[in-house]
Amino acid sequence: MIPPEAVRAVRDAPSVVVLTGAGVSAESGVPTFRDAARGLWAKYDPTRLATPEAFEADPELVSRWYDWRRERVAACAPNPGHHASAEMERWLTSMRRGFTLLTQNVDRLHHAAGSRAIVELHGSIWIWRCLGCGTEREDRSMPFAEYPPRCADCGGIRRPGVVWFGEALPHAALDAAERAMRGCGIFLSVGTSSLVYPAAGYARQAHARGIPTLEINAEPTPISPMVTWSIQGKSGEVLPELLRLAMEA
Ligand code: OAD
């Protein structure tokens, strides 16, 4: 049950900020971080592979792992939660309201669903950066010809353009998120365990500034007691329903 006040808050907000996490992609078949990795890679701990130290120690292993993740994601399609986010952006933008999607996800399924105002807080597995010349470009070729993949320009080793544990988030993403938060009239946190900062801090920032906050998650999280409304459910079901109600209200 979505509280009518939450529906009205989405309908009336001058600007909406939506933060998404792995739970939004889960219904597309992309495993969340806190799920155990299945199959070939089950024996590897993501928190140990997704680090600069792991890549330094074994760039072949880490780039093979990311190539496996890219192949997994390439087989996944956006789900109704992704489509509802894109539709909400189009609807609000058509009414000259603000909309920003902050995502922790690196799969670009939001892009595939048609979202445009996206801030990739943790980068993307489709972006690869050369450690030699710094060239950064989207690379959807699969599988890689060699591990680690090499730069076509300088022959340097390329790494995934994602934020690894222990690394700072891209300044441009942080700046864009802060700009979005300044004008925010309602903050939605969807499909995230709200454990990893700074992403997990935006809901607290909104709450501290008296901005209505709405959480949609399959299970309670540390922000559930704090937010204005906490809805326990699947993003692929609740987000489309929230959008339908807001558009009809
Ligand atoms: P998590 O795996 O930590 O949390 C996913 C959340 O989504 C969990 O709370 C699930 O209960 C919930 N969930 C699962 N299926 C859902 C569904 N269908 N609808 C709604 N909720 C659902 O993933 P994140 O919170 O995204 O950081 O993890 C945050 C960051 O931790 C990741 O971006 C990654 C990791 O360290 C980096 O890689 C830097």
Side-chain angles (χ1 to χ4, degrees):
M1 172 60 186
I2 300 175
E5 310 80 44
V7 173
R8 284 195 292 274
V10 170
R11 183 200 61 193
D12 299 337
S15 179
V16 175
V17 175
V18 179
L19 169 71
T20 62
V24 170
S25 291
E27 290 166 69
S28 294
V30 180
T32 66
F33 274 85
R34 273 75 194 175
D35 283 346
R38 296 184 186 83
L40 171 65
W41 294 94
K43 60 179 181 287
Y44 291 100
D45 172 0
T47 58
R48 290 176 51 77
L49 282 181
T51 65
E53 294 76 18
F55 189 76
E56 172 120 19
D58 193 342
E60 176 179 349
L61 173 69
V62 175
S63 53
R64 282 186 183 278
W65 181 57
Y66 275 93
D67 212 14
W68 170 77
R69 287 180 61 191
R70 291 185 335 146
E71 292 188 49
R72 279 291 303 270
V73 167
C76 299
N79 67 62
H82 294 109
H83 290 300
S85 304
E87 181 61 30
M88 184 181 287
E89 175 181 347
R90 285 191 291 271
W91 174 57
L92 290 169
T93 307
S94 72
M95 297 189 299
R96 310 183 73 74
R97 300 271 178 77
F99 180 93
T100 304
L101 176 61
L102 309 179
T103 189
Q104 302 172 88
N105 299 336
V106 297
D107 54 36
R108 289 200 159 175
L109 288 177
H110 281 303
H111 297 70
S115 290
R116 289 290 171 268
I118 302 174
V119 178
E120 291 182 307
L121 295 171
H122 295 161
S124 171
I125 56 171
W126 298 111
I127 297 289
W128 286 70
R129 180 166 70 244
C130 175
L131 298 180
C133 64
T135 303
E136 188 168 87
R137 58 168 65 99
E138 185 171 66
D139 183 342
R140 295 212 174 229
S141 64
M142 275 183 296
F144 284 132
E146 57 182 322
Y147 298 96
R150 291 280 172 172
C151 173
D153 300 341
C154 77
I157 288 177
R158 290 191 291 147
R159 59 157 283 180
V162 297
V163 175
W164 277 332
F165 292 99
E167 291 187 319
L169 274 61
H171 289 299
L174 289 172
D175 292 346
E178 280 309 319
R179 278 195 304 276
M181 291 305 291
R182 277 198 288 273
C184 176
I186 180 170
F187 181 87
L188 279 66
S189 176
V190 187
T192 177
S193 58
S194 298
L195 293 172
V196 174
Y197 287 76
Y202 291 121
R204 286 176 170 73
Q205 185 187 123
H207 181 74
R209 289 170 38 203
I211 295 167
T213 45
L214 167 60
E215 177 185 44
I216 300 169
N217 204 61
E219 61 192 357
T221 73
I223 68 168
S224 300
M226 174 202 76
V227 293
T228 315
W229 306 286
S230 182
I231 300 173
Q232 200 156 319
K234 298 174 77 171
S235 52
E237 294 169 6
V238 179
L239 266 180
E241 177 64 5
L242 172 64
L243 177 63
R244 184 185 68 78
L245 292 169
M247 292 175 85
E248 282 177 2

